[in-house]
Amino acid sequence: MTKTTPKPRVVSGMRPTGRLHLGHLVGALRNWVPLQETHDCFYFVADWHALTSEYANTAPITGYGLDNVADWLAAGVDPAKSTIFVQSLVPEHAELFLLLSMVVPIPWLERVPTYKELQEQLAEKDLSTLGFLSYPLLQTADVAMYDGRFVPVGEDQVAHLELSREVIRRFQQFYGDVLVEPQPLLTPVSRLPGLDNRKMSKSYGNTIDLSDDAASVLKKVRQMYTDPKRVRADIPGTVEGNPVFMYHDAFNPNVAEVEDLKARYRAGAVGDVEVKTKLAAAMNAGLEPMREKRATLLARPDDLRDIMIDGSRKARLVAQETMARVRDAVRLTY
Ligand code: TRP
């Protein structure tokens, strides 16, 4: 048998706090899917991370987890290629988190920019909890557990990974070289704005969801923010940074059509209705096969659950090996 170098390990997770939208597709899934060919991928439902902000309303979390995994599979994540698992079904994550917590100075966690930002953004929730403060530490455990070298994430997560590397270095000063320092693998596609040109977010109500039907997609696209200076179709418009054209670039495979629309938009020779109708048509053509697959998967929730439980069993085998090594390094083997 020829010896093959093992593929580098990739770890990434999503919090099951709602249905997935186009931001997840463009910012994460379109990165996750091709990585399966070149990397050994571990993709998981970060349900404990969901609890850090949703601890007062935990009932929907498992349902969202199932729904999210259906979207992953519909987008092309393949359980035969990747390990798909649920964080809370691998309780070793909590043990590694605990051991890491022994060496982490609290100010390191307090100065992670997302900590204060999210507390302010989600002011209606009491996020002065230990669980919320330690969010990036739990994330460190998630990745280190699988010797994750690369973490495909958006830019908003870079500070978390920076902290992860610092924590791992400090841990290793005490216990030796047992863990791998992770690097972010930034999504090549730039971030898609929401329908109103703010950041796409469920809390702003400006998303197009992967579960939206064709009629809702058309309706939402029609409401989309465009160049506000263009009050009539014969006024020249700006294409750069215009959400309608960012969406065309992300979803319309007909490059000639997109270039033609851009040229006519700049010249004041096309109406918003045509630009938007063509966008909705292109998006629906791309989303329809995913919608069908998603519906088929969700019609058999037990099969989906089996995939998640099976993957969690596989993940757990790796996690148990890591923890044996870590306990040994910390001198806690009896
Ligand atoms: N923090 C990530 C997010 O909000 C979710 C997450 C939890 C994660 N653990 C992770 C991502 C580990 C990558 C690796 O999107």
Side-chain angles (χ1 to χ4, degrees), residues 193-198 218-233 235-248 261 265-266 270-280:
L195 296 168
D196 55 1
N197 204 29
R198 290 190 292 172
L218 178 60
K219 190 164 158 243
K220 288 181 174 180
V221 167
R222 281 197 183 131
Q223 297 160 358
M224 223 159 142
Y225 175 99
T226 58
D227 182 344
K229 297 190 302 300
R230 236 174 74 93
V231 289
R232 282 193 330 260
I235 299 174
T238 306
V239 163
E240 286 66 33
N242 186 329
V244 184
F245 286 102
M246 291 165 86
Y247 277 64
H248 262 295
L261 289 172
Y265 196 85
R266 288 190 180 106
V270 66
D272 275 15
V273 175
E274 183 184 343
V275 177
K276 288 179 168 179
T277 309
K278 286 187 167 150
L279 173 60

Side-chain angles (χ1 to χ4, degrees), residues 11-15 44 46 49 135 139 142-143 151 153 157 160:
V11 182
S12 200
M14 277 189 211
R15 283 161 27 98
F44 70 99
H49 275 102
Y135 185 111
Q139 185 166 345
D142 297 337
V143 176
V151 185
V153 284
Q157 297 290 316
H160 286 171

Side-chain angles (χ1 to χ4, degrees), residues 41-205:
C41 300
F42 281 61
Y43 296 135
F44 70 99
V45 176
D47 55 351
W48 280 339
H49 275 102
L51 289 185
T52 62
S53 61
E54 307 305 310
Y55 60 84
N57 181 25
T58 57
I61 290 177
T62 52
Y64 283 139
L66 207 71
D67 186 273
N68 292 175
V69 172
D71 281 334
W72 299 358
L73 300 190
V77 175
D78 180 351
K81 295 177 182 161
S82 300
T83 306
I84 298 168
F85 70 98
V86 178
Q87 186 181 36
S88 69
L89 291 180
V90 187
E92 285 76 9
H93 286 235
E95 184 184 356
L96 185 54
F97 164 80
L98 177 99
L99 292 177
L100 294 173
S101 80
M102 301 301 165
V103 304
V104 181
I106 291 170
W108 286 19
L109 293 170
E110 287 171 331
R111 69 169 199 236
V112 173
T114 46
Y115 178 58
K116 291 232 162 58
E117 270 166 38
L118 281 173
Q119 271 189 339
E120 278 159 25
Q121 243 175 58
L122 305 175
E124 75 283 2
K125 292 183 178 150
D126 178 1
L127 298 181
S128 60
T129 55
L130 182 58
F132 186 71
L133 175 66
S134 19
Y135 185 111
L137 190 59
L138 181 57
Q139 185 166 345
T140 305
D142 297 337
V143 176
M145 187 66 83
Y146 304 99
D147 298 331
R149 245 166 241 293
F150 300 106
V151 185
V153 284
E155 258 172 73
D156 57 325
Q157 297 290 316
V158 169
H160 286 171
L161 284 179
E162 183 56 41
L163 176 90
S164 292
R165 285 195 297 278
E166 284 174 14
V167 167
I168 288 173
R169 274 184 227 130
R170 186 162 158 92
F171 191 76
Q172 312 211 116
Q173 279 168 15
F174 294 106
Y175 309 119
D177 201 10
V178 274
L179 299 171
V180 170
E181 286 181 33
Q183 299 291 335
L185 206 63
L186 285 180
T187 315
V189 194
S190 62
R191 195 157 65 189
L192 266 191
L195 296 168
D196 55 1
N197 204 29
R198 290 190 292 172
K199 177 180 170 348
M200 196 188 299
S201 158
K202 187 180 51 149
S203 52
Y204 292 150

